[in-house]
Amino acid sequence: MHLSLYDLNIIQTVLLFIILYVLVKNRFWLILRRTINVCIHGLSKLVPKSKKLIVFGGENGMGFRGNPKYLFLELVKIPSLHCVWIAKHPSVVKELNDLGFEAYLHRSLKGYYYQLRAKLAIHSHALNDDFKNQLMGGVISYNTWHGVGLKKVWGENKKTFTYKVIHDPNPIRRFFGMLVVKTNMGKKNYVVSTSKRVSSYYPSTFVVKKDNVLELGQVRNDIFFKETDEDQLIPEWYRKNKVILYMPTHRNKGKLDKDINEVLDFEKINQLCHDLGCKFVIKMHLYSSGYVPKEFEHIVDISKEPYDPQFLLKYADMLITDYSSCYTDYLMLDRPVIFYCYDLSEYLSTSNEMYYNYYEVTPGPKVKTHDELIESIKEGFAHHHETYKKDRQRVLNIFYSIDNQRPVLEKQLKFILNDLLKLEVDDYKEGVRENRKHQNIV
């Protein structure tokens, strides 16, 4: 069939109108949804808050672990406080309920109620990640964050909505954009830092006042300095054997990840581990996926297991990572780290910018080929952890002040109780004693 120029112009015009309609329609619903969220967030500030009610959340609502977990386990001991965990998956709610704690889904009726009524929210990610953020307009947000990493996020990441709004040259768009950004904030907002260097970029990252950045460390690292009942949840073979832990991060939420079989030569690694008498344990990121062959005796994939990553770090003899923040915590243990950065240039251009020069803050061999990885593993064990020892301490001091290279739970509790809840620390200690007395009677 032959089409005339007139017919082609008609078809082209119709297609253009269809495209414009779809774009306008999608933009209309986006604007409408954001407008509703701004209104709900504003109205939530009018709901009276219960001074002793604290809601907790973490791991994008998908887990009971991380910094908020350890604060929850202490604060729940105080009878005068009402501590509630908010989750986004039924399995997390069940886990807490089975332990005798109060927990609700973020979109359940009781979840809505407690999020609206809480004075304080303690969480490890953004409010919209851990809660129903539209309901949190009147809350005090205490963001423990979930690691001291290299990757720029939020207000520092050029790809985010927050960054684009803050740097929008149009004052009208910037004004309305900030209304949307603020739906991810409470009435007052605090974020926990770990050192002066880290604190220097947190105000622009989290859009908070400089005075609201608290250098109080990461509570989750306290487990490095003591034995707990949770240690026994890690398999004995992991705790008792020599272990190399491979814990990489994701690329653009897994969309740009290479198949792990392209990254690792399992036959060579298995033979190396046989020679060294160790296990090679793989813990892929939540966003990542890939099949790890099961026929290799010395290679174990625990990516789907519910083990707390901090305990995996605690018992690992060597860590292999890339751009993950896990190594900054691991430095406290003063053990070898290998940085397998086979796609560094690509990662920086397609996934994330960094706060630091990568080479400045990676105290270990930077390897880009699999053969270099094998040699670095041999080197790490042969020199008994001494190579890079001074450099590890130098970098640790960048990410963690000396005062935060030790247990920090007590000083965080003191700040929460005294400064945020206006409750005396003595009340906390008395509450814990009464709680233990009651448990003994029961």
Side-chain angles (χ1 to χ4, degrees), residues 174-186:
R174 190 166 63 248
F175 172 79
F176 286 104
M178 282 306 298
L179 292 178
V180 178
V181 169
K182 288 178 181 178
T183 62
N184 212 14
M185 300 179 184

Side-chain angles (χ1 to χ4, degrees), residues 68 75 112 173 249 303 396:
L75 292 170
Y112 285 150
R173 280 202 307 263
T249 191
S303 302
L396 176 61

Side-chain angles (χ1 to χ4, degrees), residues 185-413:
M185 300 179 184
K187 180 178 66 175
K188 292 182 180 178
N189 302 277
Y190 298 88
V191 62
V192 178
S193 170
T194 53
S195 71
K196 280 187 167 55
R197 182 88 174 263
V198 173
S199 295
S200 68
Y201 53 81
Y202 267 20
S204 56
T205 295
F206 295 102
V207 198
V208 296
K209 298 175 182 177
K210 184 177 179 181
D211 290 344
N212 287 16
V213 176
L214 314 168
E215 287 178 27
L216 297 174
Q218 299 268 296
V219 177
R220 69 183 187 181
N221 291 334
D222 285 15
I223 62 108
F224 292 156
F225 306 100
K226 62 183 179 182
E227 290 290 319
T228 70
D229 292 339
E230 285 186 272
D231 287 73
Q232 302 308 310
L233 298 177
I234 302 299
E236 186 174 1
W237 65 263
Y238 189 99
R239 290 184 283 115
K240 301 296 184 183
N241 286 297
K242 189 185 295 184
V243 167
I244 301 171
L245 177 62
Y246 179 51
M247 192 182 287
T249 191
H250 62 91
R251 277 79 174 148
N252 194 18
K253 296 190 174 181
K255 297 173 185 175
L256 300 177
D257 283 9
K258 290 185 178 179
D259 189 287
I260 194 167
N261 290 273
E262 297 179 34
V263 176
L264 298 175
D265 185 328
F266 291 117
E267 286 191 11
K268 287 185 178 180
I269 289 174
N270 191 61
Q271 183 59 52
L272 175 65
C273 291
H274 175 270
D275 297 340
L276 294 174
C278 65
K279 294 286 187 183
F280 189 90
V281 178
I282 299 169
K283 173 67 172 175
M284 288 185 279
H285 193 276
L286 173 69
Y287 293 134
S288 303
S289 60
Y291 174 73
V292 177
K294 297 180 180 179
E295 64 263 27
F296 297 107
E297 179 184 357
H298 301 285
I299 298 174
V300 185
D301 179 17
I302 59 170
S303 302
K304 303 298 183 184
E305 300 296 333
Y307 304 134
D308 189 318
Q310 295 307 104
F311 286 93
L312 296 178
L313 292 172
K314 180 177 181 177
Y315 289 101
D317 296 276
M318 176 184 288
L319 175 67
I320 300 174
T321 188
D322 42 23
Y323 324 111
S324 169
S325 64
C326 64
Y327 84 90
T328 60
D329 293 347
Y330 190 72
L331 290 176
M332 289 193 183
L333 300 170
D334 192 25
R335 297 173 196 157
V337 186
I338 297 174
F339 297 90
Y340 190 20
C341 50
Y342 55 87
D343 61 345
L344 177 59
S345 298
E346 182 183 351
Y347 180 83
L348 290 175
S349 62
T350 60
S351 292
N352 282 91
E353 292 181 278
M354 295 185 181
Y355 293 109
Y356 304 87
N357 180 297
Y358 184 70
Y359 293 92
E360 176 199 0
V361 292
T362 46
K366 269 69 73 179
V367 300
K368 297 189 177 181
T369 69
H370 198 271
D371 287 341
E372 290 176 344
L373 174 64
I374 296 293
E375 290 305 311
S376 292
I377 292 173
K378 292 178 183 177
E379 180 85 7
F381 280 118
H383 288 82
H384 305 289
H385 304 185
E386 290 305 311
T387 309
Y388 293 98
K389 186 178 180 67
K390 289 183 179 179
D391 210 25
R392 287 197 295 269
Q393 186 60 53
R394 176 188 65 80
V395 175
L396 176 61
N397 291 341
I398 290 174
F399 290 117
Y400 284 92
S401 65
I402 298 298
D403 193 45
N404 288 324
Q405 294 176 27
R406 55 176 68 99
V408 298
L409 174 64
E410 189 172 334
K411 66 179 179 180
Q412 287 209 28
L413 288 172

